[in-house]
Structure formats: C-alpha cells, structure tokens
Amino acid sequence: MTFPNVSFQTPRLTAAALSSNALPHAKTAMSAQLAAILTSDVKRHLPPDLQAVSDAESALQWLEQTLEESQFIAIRSSDDDALVGFFLLYVEVDALRERQACYALRLGYVVAEAFQGKGMASEMIAGLVSWCCASGVVSSLSGGAEADNLPSIKALEKNGFVREGNDEFHQGNTVFLTLMF
C-alpha cells in the first residue's frame, strides 16, 4: 500500500503534494520558486542538503532527490498562489490496522521569509494535523527543530506536539517533538 498524497486547505493556505512523476516543467517551475524562498536567513536552521541550494539548478537537483525519499507538499497562499513554504514527509509503515497500513510520519517544513511571523507555520501544521486525523492511516507525526528555533518549536507545540523525553536519536541541539493519533 502506498501512502496517499497529502492535500488540504486552511483559511489562508492550499497544500498539494508534488509527485516524483510530475511533468518536468512542473518540477522546473517549483525549483525556481524554491530557490527564491530559500534565502540565507531561511536556510539558517535547515539541514546541510538544503544549505547547498543556491539557485534553480541546485534546487532542481535537491527536489529530484527529495522526491525519491519523501513526499513534498507545496504550501501556497489561497489569495495569490504564492509559495508560502513546504512540508517534507518521510513515511514509515508503523503497523497494520484492520488490513490497512498505518504510518508514522517524520516531518520537515520551511516557511518563506516573507511569510514568517504571520502564523503561517502554525496554520500549515494545523492543516496537516487535520489531514492526518481525517486520513485514518497516520499513527504519529514527529518533527525536530534546533533548540534556538523557538518559533518552530512553538508552532509544533501549539498544534499538540509533545517534546520527546528520552530521545535516542538526539543530535546536537535538536529538539524532537511528536504527536500521536
């Protein structure tokens, strides 16, 4: 069983997955938009693979690799279709529930600098949490943030995520949070 493509709407946002089978022009257009939103300030708290994105060409290489290992969900403004940010969902089969796979998801997300400080991260996460609840196939959603990235930690906590107390995968100054369904 494959994990369903995530799509949802919130009052200000529309979310839709970009498939690895997307047409080349869709990936190229997304790459140009990614290069534009991945400013040095936005990349400050991101992993090394995203640090390397500096233009549309490197964004396309990153996107192609990312689509092979995760689900990429573009988050757009409902008003003008501007790229607000994106989610990366790494999917693991957790268990079988009544002949249906149940998934544990690892979450990564980015909010464009122009949309930071406006509650967009919280709204994005709330929409994803609602989708997970409605899907009936998600057992947990986990994410991490650098300890000094307080806005990201607060956005996760605001949406019900709880800090993991005994984190066996703890890396440096990363705080891991989980939401169980």
Side-chain angles (χ1 to χ4, degrees):
M1 171 174 268
T2 59
F3 188 74
N5 281 337
V6 174
S7 66
F8 60 84
Q9 290 186 327
T10 69
R12 299 183 291 174
L13 305 170
T14 302
L18 179 68
S19 166
S20 60
N21 299 331
L23 296 174
H25 73 275
K27 291 179 188 176
T28 300
M30 178 57 68
S31 298
Q33 294 170 19
L34 286 172
I37 70 166
L38 289 171
T39 63
S40 58
D41 192 49
V42 168
K43 293 190 296 184
R44 181 179 49 164
H45 295 290
L46 299 179
D49 62 329
L50 276 164
Q51 297 286 338
V53 174
S54 59
D55 56 20
E57 184 178 326
S58 59
L60 180 60
Q61 291 172 352
W62 174 84
L63 184 61
E64 291 282 358
Q65 177 64 40
T66 298
L67 288 172
E68 295 300 319
E69 55 195 38
S70 67
Q71 190 172 130
F72 178 94
I73 299 104
I75 311 295
R76 298 189 172 282
S77 168
S78 298
D79 289 341
D80 60 7
D81 204 39
L83 185 65
V84 171
F86 60 89
F87 285 125
L88 299 178
L89 293 178
Y90 298 87
V91 180
E92 299 170 5
V93 175
D94 191 22
L96 290 177
R97 187 187 300 166
E98 297 177 23
R99 297 183 187 187
Q100 182 178 18
C102 193
Y103 300 94
L105 302 177
R106 287 183 296 116
L107 163 70
Y109 69 95
V110 169
V111 177
E113 195 170 352
F115 294 99
Q116 291 179 2
K118 299 177 181 178
M120 293 296 192
S122 290
E123 189 172 330
M124 287 168 53
I125 295 166
L128 179 61
V129 167
S130 293
W131 183 90
C132 289
C133 287
S135 76
V137 298
V138 178
S139 62
S140 66
L141 187 57
S142 329
E146 288 184 358
D148 63 346
N149 189 353
L150 296 178
S152 184
I153 293 169
K154 288 181 189 241
L156 291 165
E157 289 177 333
K158 179 178 178 181
N159 284 286
F161 285 70
V162 177
R163 292 178 193 228
E164 296 178 12
N166 184 12
D167 180 15
E168 63 190 64
F169 301 110
H170 185 75
Q171 298 172 348
N173 68 344
T174 303
V175 174
F176 290 95
L177 302 98
T178 299
L179 177 61
M180 302 299 292
F181 295 98

PDB file of all heavy atoms in Angstrom, residues 2 29 100 154:
ATOM      1  N   THR A   2       0.531   2.192  -0.821  1.00  0.00           N
ATOM      2  CA  THR A   2       1.290   3.428  -0.866  1.00  0.00           C
ATOM      3  C   THR A   2       0.579   4.502  -0.051  1.00  0.00           C
ATOM      4  O   THR A   2      -0.641   4.504   0.072  1.00  0.00           O
ATOM      5  CB  THR A   2       1.466   3.918  -2.315  1.00  0.00           C
ATOM      6  OG1 THR A   2       0.181   4.114  -2.877  1.00  0.00           O
ATOM      7  CG2 THR A   2       2.252   2.912  -3.136  1.00  0.00           C
ATOM      8  N   ALA A  29       9.503  24.664 -12.605  1.00  0.00           N
ATOM      9  CA  ALA A  29       8.840  25.849 -12.034  1.00  0.00           C
ATOM     10  C   ALA A  29       8.956  25.844 -10.510  1.00  0.00           C
ATOM     11  O   ALA A  29       9.253  26.881  -9.899  1.00  0.00           O
ATOM     12  CB  ALA A  29       7.371  25.882 -12.457  1.00  0.00           C
ATOM     13  N   GLN A 100      -5.237  -2.342   6.901  1.00  0.00           N
ATOM     14  CA  GLN A 100      -4.823  -1.094   6.297  1.00  0.00           C
ATOM     15  C   GLN A 100      -3.514  -0.663   6.959  1.00  0.00           C
ATOM     16  O   GLN A 100      -3.389  -0.716   8.176  1.00  0.00           O
ATOM     17  CB  GLN A 100      -5.907  -0.040   6.526  1.00  0.00           C
ATOM     18  CG  GLN A 100      -5.615   1.280   5.895  1.00  0.00           C
ATOM     19  CD  GLN A 100      -6.763   2.264   6.130  1.00  0.00           C
ATOM     20  OE1 GLN A 100      -7.590   2.082   7.002  1.00  0.00           O
ATOM     21  NE2 GLN A 100      -6.782   3.307   5.330  1.00  0.00           N
ATOM     22  N   LYS A 154       7.480  26.349  19.015  1.00  0.00           N
ATOM     23  CA  LYS A 154       6.176  26.833  19.482  1.00  0.00           C
ATOM     24  C   LYS A 154       5.067  26.465  18.506  1.00  0.00           C
ATOM     25  O   LYS A 154       3.955  26.136  18.918  1.00  0.00           O
ATOM     26  CB  LYS A 154       6.216  28.339  19.726  1.00  0.00           C
ATOM     27  CG  LYS A 154       7.007  28.698  20.956  1.00  0.00           C
ATOM     28  CD  LYS A 154       7.021  30.199  21.183  1.00  0.00           C
ATOM     29  CE  LYS A 154       7.995  30.525  22.288  1.00  0.00           C
ATOM     30  NZ  LYS A 154       7.425  31.146  23.422  1.00  0.00           N
TER      31      LYS A 154
END
